[in-house]
Amino acid sequence: MNKDTKVTAAIIGLGRWGQNLVDSTKADPENGLLFTHAMTRTKSKVVEYCIKNSLTLADSFEDILSNDAIEAVVLATPHSQHCNQIKSAAAAGKHVFVEKPYTLSLKDGIDAATACKDSGVKLAVGFNRRFLPAYNQLEKLLVSQKLGTAMHIEGNFSGSFGYNYTADMWRGSNEENPAGGMGAMGIHILDLMVHLLGTVKTVMAYSSRRVVTSLVDDTTTALIEFTSGATASLTTMTATSPTWKMHLYGSKGSAFLPNQHSIEVNIIDTETEKTNFEIVDTLAIELDTFAQSVRGRCVYPVKISEALAGVSTMESIAKAAKIGAKTSVNSNFSGL
């Protein structure tokens, strides 16, 4: 395929988030990813959307995989389906972009990553907050040692999604969303923590359902111990006002992200420096970066080993919340 052409892709799953992904590329004429096909569970719900966005609506995933005109698949499907869909796509020679959570178990994550590696196709996981300018500035501060040795990090990603979930929705089931809002929101903060501080050694967690009527817990909090010795606290709630914040404490000072677009840096014995960043479309950026990686122009920034670390940690958080005890985290996924 000509390296100067856009990467042709099919969106698998055209619910709210799948449409957000398509919309982000349509609003960016220079985006390297071009959605040409779609497949979803209930075709009748998206016929008009597909016509409006010039998407050919396929009857099945198999039809997508057998189409030589499609180079990549973008998965916005139930979490439990990711592993088998990734392996099938890899066997068909399709590159894969998969929404978080990558998988629900470390075993599935390793199997899917191995399939892509063996088939020589690209595999990217959709953690769009990696592309936030405010977060990138925080990372630079840590790498430059301006904050000193990383000691502790606090994070909270919460919202009111839980009020909209019902028992007949896949997002409203414990099987697809163990540990409450971890799969929908908390996993984003966890990914940033893993990227900054490395693999996780142990977790303690508490999760409960206090006010929502679905089966998914609405309040989840975890205490995390990293292999490096740093610690973290992570909270996610599905029945409160929108919240997104992260605070990294180092031996020389701290950096606080009160939201996704600003940072407050407080070095010991100096005045706090506040910086606001331009709001960017992180969905469009991550999909373009995926396309550029397929064309060999860059390396997608979310390493598969980091995605696996996140999966293993989320799996352990769910287990710790269930048994009420500190739980070790498996980090045996070297080479991926």
Side-chain angles (χ1 to χ4, degrees), residues 157-177:
F157 190 1
S158 299
S160 58
F161 302 109
Y163 287 122
N164 301 320
Y165 294 161
T166 59
D168 60 343
M169 298 170 60
W170 68 265
R171 291 189 182 277
S173 73
N174 278 321
E175 289 74 18
E176 293 287 353
N177 293 279

Side-chain angles (χ1 to χ4, degrees), residues 25-313:
T25 62
K26 297 297 182 180
D28 176 21
E30 301 301 317
N31 202 286
L33 194 75
L34 176 64
F35 283 109
T36 59
H37 291 71
M39 194 281 290
T40 199
R41 183 169 49 184
T42 307
K43 293 176 61 177
S44 60
K45 292 183 178 180
V46 299
V47 171
E48 291 185 8
Y49 181 85
C50 288
I51 293 173
K52 177 183 176 181
N53 290 281
S54 302
L55 296 173
T56 300
L57 191 54
D59 291 326
S60 68
F61 191 45
E62 290 70 28
D63 288 344
I64 294 290
L65 297 184
S66 63
N67 190 331
D68 293 336
I70 300 171
E71 297 178 75
V73 295
V74 175
L75 305 179
T77 51
H79 314 143
S80 62
Q81 296 178 13
H82 289 172
C83 179
N84 287 336
Q85 288 175 334
I86 292 170
K87 290 195 293 184
S88 295
K94 308 296 186 188
H95 304 288
V96 180
F97 179 98
V98 56
E99 267 301 322
K100 54 75 201 165
Y102 165 45
T103 58
L104 291 175
S105 73
L106 179 60
K107 179 184 182 303
D108 280 354
I110 292 174
D111 288 348
T114 301
C116 290
K117 184 177 181 181
D118 291 346
S119 296
V121 299
K122 298 292 184 181
L123 172 62
V125 182
F127 285 115
N128 60 307
R129 272 73 180 186
R130 288 284 193 100
F131 300 90
L132 289 169
Y135 170 73
N136 291 329
Q137 179 61 23
L138 185 152
E139 182 187 6
K140 289 177 183 177
L141 290 170
L142 180 63
V143 172
S144 69
Q145 292 295 305
K146 188 171 183 179
L147 300 177
T149 300
M151 301 167 65
H152 182 77
I153 189 167
E154 299 171 349
N156 188 319
F157 190 1
S158 299
S160 58
F161 302 109
Y163 287 122
N164 301 320
Y165 294 161
T166 59
D168 60 343
M169 298 170 60
W170 68 265
R171 291 189 182 277
S173 73
N174 278 321
E175 289 74 18
E176 293 287 353
N177 293 279
M182 277 300 303
M185 296 177 288
I187 188 69
H188 279 291
I189 299 290
L190 177 60
D191 171 68
L192 301 182
M193 290 178 170
V194 166
H195 182 56
L196 291 171
L197 302 180
T199 57
V200 174
K201 182 179 180 181
T202 64
V203 298
M204 295 180 65
Y206 306 89
S207 191
S208 63
R209 177 164 56 92
R210 301 192 63 198
V211 297
V212 299
T213 57
S214 69
L215 299 177
V216 178
D217 289 346
D218 54 41
T219 306
T220 303
T221 188
L223 299 177
I224 299 169
E225 176 191 15
F226 292 88
T227 305
S228 65
T231 56
S233 59
L234 172 59
T235 297
T236 180
M237 292 173 280
T238 66
T240 190
S241 56
T243 301
W244 196 102
K245 60 183 179 180
M246 191 166 67
H247 203 157
L248 175 63
Y249 297 87
S251 57
K252 296 180 181 179
S254 68
F256 177 48
L257 274 61
N259 53 56
Q260 299 183 52
H261 310 295
S262 60
I263 188 170
E264 301 175 7
V265 181
N266 190 346
I267 304 302
I268 295 175
D269 296 329
T270 66
E271 293 187 3
T272 300
E273 296 181 3
K274 300 180 180 180
T275 306
N276 296 318
F277 295 87
E278 179 183 359
I279 295 176
V280 298
D281 188 341
T282 54
L283 298 183
I285 295 172
E286 69 174 355
L287 291 172
D288 180 64
T289 305
F290 167 61
Q292 302 308 325
S293 73
V294 169
R295 290 289 181 257
R297 300 191 187 106
C298 71
V299 176
Y300 192 76
V302 181
K303 297 178 182 178
I304 296 304
S305 60
E306 292 173 335
L308 290 170
V311 167
S312 185
T313 302

Side-chain angles (χ1 to χ4, degrees), residues 2-21:
N2 190 328
K3 287 191 174 183
D4 294 326
T5 61
K6 293 190 176 189
V7 174
T8 54
I11 181 71
I12 312 301
L14 260 180
R16 179 186 64 87
W17 197 251
Q19 292 185 22
N20 284 345
L21 294 172

